[in-house]
Amino acid sequence: MWGMKIALGSDHAGFRLKEHIRDHVESSSHTCKDFGVFSEASADYPDIAAFVTAAVQSGEYDCGILICGTGIGMSIAANKNTGIRAALCGQGYSAKCAREHNDANILAMGSRVIGPGLALEILDLFLSTPFAGGRHENWLHKIQELEAGNARTRPSQD
Ligand code: RB5
């Protein structure tokens, strides 16, 4: 996809990789807004996840990128927000499937887990892969039902 608006954020552990990613995005057809952090001083990753997810929820941004040490905290925090489908990816196949199958709107990565070259490879796949739709639509609808508190919580034979 071309010309996407991306919301970007990290905690202190992800700061350097975020800077690297921002440079990469700025040299592409996409644009990004950096929601911080702006130094390696200790920061609370749920705060940054809240900024980036709100930006995506508002519709002003097409997708978000969140980076912390492992990517785990950011993905957990991001997925607490309605309509957010954050995917923690450590290799390209997951990034491709996160878009194709899950229509993920946030990419989470761990700066202590992957190097900068792999991070850009994952990012480029995430940004260039469209949602496949079809049978995946029904499963996304069921996730919406979970969010709304409408999901069946026991197997039907109970
Ligand atoms: C910070 O030390 C680290 O806990 C954080 O970046 C992240 O990995 C949490 O999930």
Side-chain angles (χ1 to χ4, degrees):
M1 282 164 281
W2 192 88
M4 296 176 77
K5 285 185 74 178
I6 299 165
L8 175 63
S10 75
D11 71 353
H12 54 288
F15 171 72
R16 285 186 189 199
L17 182 57
K18 172 180 68 71
E19 299 291 288
H20 185 60
I21 283 173
R22 194 186 60 219
D23 291 346
H24 179 72
V25 170
E26 284 174 349
S27 69
S28 74
S29 72
H30 310 297
T31 55
C32 72
K33 177 170 164 72
D34 188 346
F35 285 86
V37 295
F38 301 105
S39 79
E40 290 185 278
S42 184
D44 300 333
Y45 63 81
D47 293 346
I48 303 297
F51 300 154
V52 167
T53 54
V56 172
Q57 283 172 316
S58 75
E60 194 180 340
Y61 293 87
D62 298 301
C63 66
I65 303 166
L66 285 169
I67 302 154
C68 63
T70 58
I72 295 169
M74 282 294 198
S75 57
I76 291 172
N79 279 317
K80 298 295 178 191
N81 298 286
T82 304
I84 293 298
R85 294 175 300 279
L88 171 57
C89 297
Q91 24 67 35
Y93 180 72
S94 294
K96 187 169 175 286
C97 290
R99 289 289 312 127
E100 243 173 45
H101 296 195
N102 311 114
D103 198 17
N105 51 13
I106 300 269
L107 170 64
M109 291 187 283
S111 62
R112 295 173 179 160
V113 182
I114 56 172
L118 179 55
L120 295 189
E121 190 179 308
I122 290 168
L123 173 64
D124 287 343
L125 274 166
F126 186 85
L127 296 178
S128 62
T129 306
F131 177 48
R135 71 190 195 279
H136 303 292
E137 298 270 11
N138 176 47
W139 298 320
L140 292 193
H141 176 70
K142 291 210 167 194
I143 291 173
Q144 284 173 350
E145 291 294 294
L146 269 174
E147 278 179 339
N150 296 333
R152 197 175 65 211
T153 54
R154 288 177 187 276
S156 49
Q157 66 267 26
D158 281 10

